[in-house]
Amino acid sequence: MSDDARDNRDATVADTIERIRAEKFPDVDRDLVLDVLRFHADGVVVDHVDRQIDEAIAERLKGDD
Amino acid sequence: MLRIKSLTMQNFGAFKGEQRFELPQDEGVTVFYGENMRGKTTLLNAFRFALFGKIIGRGRRSVSFHDMINWEARADGVQSFEVRLILSHAGAEYRLTRTCKPKSGHNTPTGHEDYVADYYLERGGHILPPQQAAMEIERILPEQIARFFLFDGELLQEYEDLLYSDTDMGPKISQAIERILGLPTLTKSRDSLKAALDRAEARVALAAQGDQKTREYGNQLQNLVEERTVLTGDLFRHEKALEDLRARKVAIEDDMRRKQRMATLLEKRDRLTDEVAGLLTEIAKKQEAITVAMSPAWAAIIVDKLKLALTRHLKREVELQSTVMRAQVLQSLSEGHDPECPTCLQIVSDEAQTKIRAHLPNADAGTEDDRNRELASVRRQIDAINAQLENTNPEVLRLLWTDFEAHRRSIYTKRGEIEEIKKKLSGDSEGEIKGLQREYESNVRQTAALEKGIAETNDKLLENAGYREKLQKRLDKLAGSEMDLERRRRDLANTLYDMFNESVGVYREQLRRRIEADASSYFKRLTTEEDYAGLRINDTYGLTIMHRDGSDIPMRSAGAEHVVALSLVAALQNNAQLRGPIVVDSPFGRLDGGHRARIVETLPEMADQVILLVYEEELPPARAREALKGRLKSEWTLERKTARHTELAER
């Protein structure tokens, strides 16, 4: 296993994905990532999660325009 | 945080009538003291039954519901048992009641199949509908990981089996562990983004079809998208079917284990039946031989007389033979046929011949013939008597009878055993067992076929993805601005999917490192071996002990397995989004005093609520109080009333 894994073993899900976003996918909007995570949080039942994600993506693209 | 508030049992196992205990709600340890066969494991099974409707015995065998009704109560006519668990989770109070009773129409149940277990779950005083109740229990404490919270020292083998990836349950348990560690949020996000990417690609194909320049590529892409949808649908169905088959296989194996005793009885019955058939054939042969031996057997009565007669005849034969021979020799000498005497080999003179002739008896041919006839007759009689004596051997007959009787006794005994076995076999045991074996074999064949089909579908999906990627690139070169939005949507979905996909792998590794570190930390506190540096984790959360020189300790004793399993439980408790109590039956097993002391000291830190099921020699109360001090919250005794009646008493 990598040393990164050892060094970051205590990181939360949100911390982990934010680290990867910042290092490798800096152009991806941070809030969009958090939205996606929120739609799939444990114990959360989101109606029409597919549509929610499509709308979140479309919203970000509109913002870019 | 999951907390147990109380447990109530009604005629469950050794616990007759209603037996109840409440747990303190503050953090600490509750100890139940009970000698062997008083019901400690039954108490652990009460939790399992309440939560999952299952009762596990030694060797991971499922226990029949029929056998779980308190024996004394059953003798009084009771045909059911019940367990009620009150617990709190995430601010809500739950009351879970599970009852086992005879199926409708089964007025005199005799086996597990005659019973049905049903349950209802209340949350905040309201009964939940069945589907919601099932989801709620799954959410509170998934069955696959319950074994890390309802911990039986006697079932350690399960821990090893479950965490090897080549067993059917291994991957399921790994998933369950990852679930309580929070990974599903990421994996579900990743899967949703994959679906979003697929939809975005489909829109790109649609947009491409609307433009003459890109129509052809658009059509091809659309076909590939449709093909992918079909393949993905097939894959999903096949994987679901495979999961169902694997779950069914585990259930069949459970059933077969439970019916193992019946299978053994059937095998014994068949073997005994073959042996009886063999013995019957032998008996027929013996009877034939006895019949043959019986016909001359009458002569055994006169065998002594026959021997006397034989002796007389032999003597007479010798006499007659001598007489005949003497007469022949003298006759030959008197007639001068032979010039030499056969005895002294001297020439016989004429004078001697005359003297011989004078001494020869006046016998005529008739006398000589009489002698010869008598000699022949005596010889015939001798032969006849010898033949009779040969055929008349009482010893042979005696041996034949002995064998015959032995075979008959053996047949009687074996038939008795077969009847006993038939009484023990219930219902259509043979049919059921053969049915299970057929179903198991069919399951294995179907699983192999599905796995092959899934592999082929995955190959096709990969091929499809390759073609789509090429087409997308060509489209991107040709496409105009009207496709721009769809392409950007696709690209963003793709980037998000890649990011979450990578995050799943990274987070999984981090989790393993975290569990490894925590488990190692607990292990070093629990073990007394100074040369052990800690634990190393594998891909399926199995743990290997590491020597301080960096090498692995490949083989583990049962005691070491105990300590490793406890370390994993503690690490999971530490890191789980789901936190709950630990119920530990016989936590010390084969551990020595040093390890026991360390476990007692460390247990309160493993979970907020710890329930220990022990006997007093295992953990003397004074030692428990001294080691746990203020963390020991309550003590109970499993009191013997009779051999089949235990009651709970708070100390």
Side-chain angles (χ1 to χ4, degrees):
Chain A
M1 290 180 207
S2 64
D3 288 342
D4 272 349
R6 194 200 299 129
D7 295 340
N8 294 290
R9 67 183 183 226
D10 293 324
T12 63
V13 167
D15 289 345
T16 302
I17 199 158
E18 171 54 25
R19 180 166 59 83
I20 290 168
R21 187 203 68 80
E23 285 173 11
K24 297 188 180 180
F25 303 88
D27 296 336
V28 173
D29 180 47
R30 186 169 174 270
D31 291 337
L32 175 57
V33 172
L34 289 174
D35 280 345
V36 172
L37 278 178
R38 203 175 58 242
F39 295 152
H40 299 90
D42 225 14
V44 169
V45 178
V46 174
D47 292 335
H48 311 295
V49 68
D50 290 350
R51 195 182 66 206
Q52 299 260 9
I53 288 182
D54 287 348
E55 285 175 0
I57 290 174
E59 202 57 43
R60 287 300 175 286
L61 290 173
K62 229 188 267 180
D64 290 351
D65 290 339
Chain B
M1 170 71 67
L2 175 65
R3 277 188 187 280
I4 296 166
K5 293 184 110 174
S6 71
L7 181 83
T8 308
M9 298 171 287
Q10 186 91 25
N11 291 316
F12 187 76
F15 300 98
K16 185 179 176 184
E18 184 174 288
Q19 302 290 326
R20 184 171 188 275
F21 68 85
E22 284 190 15
L23 288 182
Q25 291 307 291
D26 42 350
E27 295 177 19
V29 180
T30 298
V31 184
F32 287 82
Y33 291 98
E35 299 305 308
N36 291 341
M37 295 180 286
R38 281 278 59 83
K40 295 192 297 297
T41 304
T42 301
L43 213 48
L44 183 64
N45 268 321
F47 286 102
R48 285 196 188 108
F49 177 70
L51 287 162
F52 313 116
K54 286 185 182 166
I55 303 164
I56 298 174
R58 293 192 68 82
R60 294 182 290 161
R61 280 194 288 270
S62 297
V63 175
S64 161
F65 287 158
H66 183 69
D67 294 336
M68 278 314 289
I69 302 173
N70 177 265
W71 302 276
E72 289 188 4
R74 195 166 73 197
D76 292 339
V78 170
Q79 292 182 334
S80 65
F81 60 82
E82 183 179 280
V83 179
R84 187 176 316 126
L85 186 60
I86 299 181
L87 35 83
S88 63
H89 175 62
E93 180 169 294
Y94 294 85
R95 190 157 84 161
L96 174 59
T97 306
R98 198 175 294 260
T99 308
C100 173
K101 57 185 180 217
K103 288 178 183 168
S104 169
H106 288 68
N107 296 326
T108 49
T110 55
H112 179 81
E113 298 76 18
D114 298 331
Y115 292 86
V116 63
D118 207 355
Y119 72 95
Y120 62 90
L121 178 67
E122 299 163 78
R123 185 178 63 197
H126 301 288
I127 296 182
L128 300 182
Q131 204 173 358
Q132 196 176 347
M135 281 170 53
E136 200 71 357
I137 293 172
E138 175 68 13
R139 195 175 65 82
I140 290 171
L141 189 59
E143 186 179 347
Q144 294 93 328
I145 61 163
R147 61 196 85 233
F148 295 107
F149 294 83
L150 306 177
F151 186 72
D152 188 334
E154 293 174 0
L155 297 179
L156 277 177
Q157 181 63 43
E158 205 178 52
Y159 162 71
E160 271 196 87
D161 285 354
L162 291 172
L163 296 180
Y164 288 119
S165 55
D166 59 357
T167 65
D168 291 319
M169 288 300 288
K172 268 190 117 63
I173 304 304
S174 299
Q175 284 169 26
I177 291 175
E178 288 179 345
R179 184 191 155 159
I180 65 170
L181 297 176
L183 195 62
T185 302
L186 270 180
T187 53
K188 282 190 288 185
S189 302
R190 177 199 58 192
D191 296 342
S192 288
L193 287 166
K194 181 71 173 64
L197 175 59
D198 291 346
R199 288 191 299 277
E201 281 187 358
R203 282 192 216 101
V204 166
L206 204 60
Q209 283 173 316
D211 184 337
Q212 202 172 359
K213 267 193 304 185
T214 54
R215 185 166 298 144
E216 184 49 38
Y217 286 141
N219 290 340
Q220 288 178 29
L221 188 59
Q222 183 61 28
N223 289 338
L224 285 170
V225 164
E226 283 167 8
E227 185 192 64
R228 184 194 58 205
T229 304
V230 168
L231 288 172
T232 306
D234 287 347
L235 190 67
F236 178 78
R237 274 193 307 279
H238 291 160
E239 283 176 343
K240 179 76 178 58
L242 185 63
E243 196 179 312
D244 290 344
L245 275 175
R246 284 184 174 145
R248 181 65 197 138
K249 187 179 170 207
V250 169
I252 294 171
E253 282 167 348
D254 261 351
D255 257 347
M256 285 169 84
R257 266 196 290 274
R258 195 169 40 236
K259 289 183 165 51
Q260 183 58 42
R261 186 170 161 270
M262 290 296 157
T264 306
L265 285 173
L266 282 170
E267 201 182 350
K268 189 176 177 189
R269 182 206 65 185
D270 291 344
R271 182 176 49 79
L272 285 170
T273 304
D274 288 343
E275 285 174 8
V276 165
L279 283 169
L280 285 170
T281 306
E282 281 301 308
I283 271 191
K285 287 182 188 167
K286 293 288 175 200
Q287 270 176 329
E288 222 178 283
I290 287 170
T291 305
V292 167
M294 279 294 283
S295 29
W298 60 271
I301 302 168
I302 55 165
V303 74
D304 290 338
K305 290 192 164 60
L306 283 174
K307 284 180 181 169
L308 272 174
L310 180 65
T311 307
R312 272 199 318 271
H313 281 68
L314 284 170
K315 193 176 166 188
R316 184 65 186 141
E317 184 196 23
V318 165
E319 284 170 3
L320 286 170
Q321 208 156 332
S322 296
T323 307
V324 164
M325 274 200 64
R326 187 166 165 270
Q328 282 173 350
V329 165
L330 286 175
Q331 187 70 32
S332 174
L333 285 175
S334 71
E335 288 169 1
H337 292 307
D338 204 334
E340 286 182 352
C341 168
T343 304
C344 63
L345 301 177
Q346 293 207 8
I347 301 290
V348 180
S349 64
D350 291 338
E351 191 185 334
Q353 283 182 16
T354 306
K355 281 185 184 172
I356 288 167
R357 268 198 292 275
H359 281 95
L360 275 177
N362 288 324
D364 57 22
T367 306
E368 195 178 330
D369 284 345
D370 285 343
R371 273 201 296 274
N372 282 332
R373 268 200 295 277
E374 190 189 350
L375 181 58
S377 168
V378 164
R379 280 177 175 162
R380 278 198 299 277
Q381 286 179 59
I382 287 169
D383 286 344
I385 293 173
N386 271 335
Q388 190 65 52
L389 283 172
E390 203 175 286
N391 288 337
T392 305
N393 190 346
E395 189 56 26
V396 167
L397 192 57
R398 192 184 66 75
L399 286 173
L400 285 171
W401 267 114
T402 303
D403 282 351
F404 179 80
E405 285 299 320
H407 286 344
R408 275 213 338 200
R409 275 194 303 275
S410 186
I411 287 173
Y412 178 77
T413 306
K414 288 180 197 297
R415 279 182 171 159
E417 283 183 62
I418 290 171
E419 284 309 308
E420 283 302 312
I421 289 171
K422 281 181 182 169
K423 283 179 200 165
K424 287 175 190 170
L425 293 173
S426 54
D428 180 23
S429 305
E430 185 166 9
E432 283 172 20
I433 289 167
K434 289 198 171 146
L436 275 176
Q437 283 165 345
R438 277 195 300 272
E439 194 185 349
Y440 185 82
E441 284 156 18
S442 166
N443 184 295
V444 167
R445 281 196 302 273
Q446 287 178 63
T447 299
L450 267 176
E451 284 171 344
K452 189 177 169 205
I454 285 169
E456 286 169 359
T457 306
N458 276 324
D459 288 343
K460 286 180 189 167
L461 277 168
L462 265 175
E463 200 180 33
N464 178 288
Y467 290 144
R468 278 187 288 112
E469 198 180 331
K470 281 184 191 156
L471 273 173
Q472 298 275 9
K473 283 180 181 160
R474 286 179 197 161
L475 264 176
D476 287 350
K477 283 182 187 161
L478 287 177
S481 59
E482 57 284 347
M483 276 181 56
D484 202 42
L485 178 62
E486 301 303 342
R487 282 168 41 226
R488 284 166 59 208
R489 195 197 298 234
R490 177 202 65 200
D491 290 345
L492 181 53
N494 195 28
T495 304
L496 281 167
Y497 170 73
D498 285 345
M499 189 176 76
F500 273 80
N501 197 31
E502 186 171 335
S503 301
V504 165
V506 168
Y507 189 64
R508 188 174 264 142
E509 272 200 34
Q510 284 170 193
L511 281 180
R512 288 203 195 108
R513 283 296 194 172
R514 201 189 306 172
I515 298 300
E516 184 183 69
D518 283 356
S520 279
S521 167
Y522 277 108
F523 180 74
K524 282 188 285 193
R525 290 171 61 183
L526 293 175
T527 187
T528 54
E529 177 53 65
E530 290 168 359
D531 283 348
Y532 288 165
L535 299 172
R536 193 191 332 265
I537 203 165
N538 66 20
D539 290 348
T540 51
Y541 295 90
L543 292 163
T544 308
I545 300 174
M546 276 194 316
H547 193 274
R548 63 179 177 184
D549 65 10
S551 62
D552 289 350
I553 307 290
M555 301 289 290
R556 290 208 285 254
S557 64
E561 200 61 54
H562 239 105
V563 177
V564 171
L566 277 171
S567 305
L568 176 64
V569 168
L572 288 174
Q573 284 276 343
N574 239 15
N575 291 282
Q577 292 179 338
L578 167 76
R579 294 200 173 219
I582 295 179
V583 182
V584 192
D585 178 16
S586 302
F588 306 115
R590 299 178 196 188
L591 294 175
D592 55 43
H595 281 107
R596 291 180 187 203
R598 289 186 179 216
I599 286 172
V600 171
E601 283 160 16
T602 313
L603 269 174
E605 297 166 36
M606 291 185 183
D608 289 350
Q609 242 182 351
V610 176
I611 298 171
L612 279 185
L613 308 170
V614 296
Y615 55 92
E616 288 200 7
E617 285 78 11
E618 203 179 358
L619 178 63
R623 193 181 299 171
R625 287 176 204 132
E626 189 198 324
L628 295 168
K629 296 189 177 54
R631 296 175 298 180
L632 178 60
K633 295 300 173 185
S634 64
E635 294 169 276
W636 292 76
T637 304
L638 275 56
E639 269 183 7
R640 178 193 185 278
K641 296 299 179 190
T642 70
R644 292 172 170 179
H645 178 182
T646 296
E647 286 191 2
L648 293 170
E650 190 166 12
R651 289 190 177 197

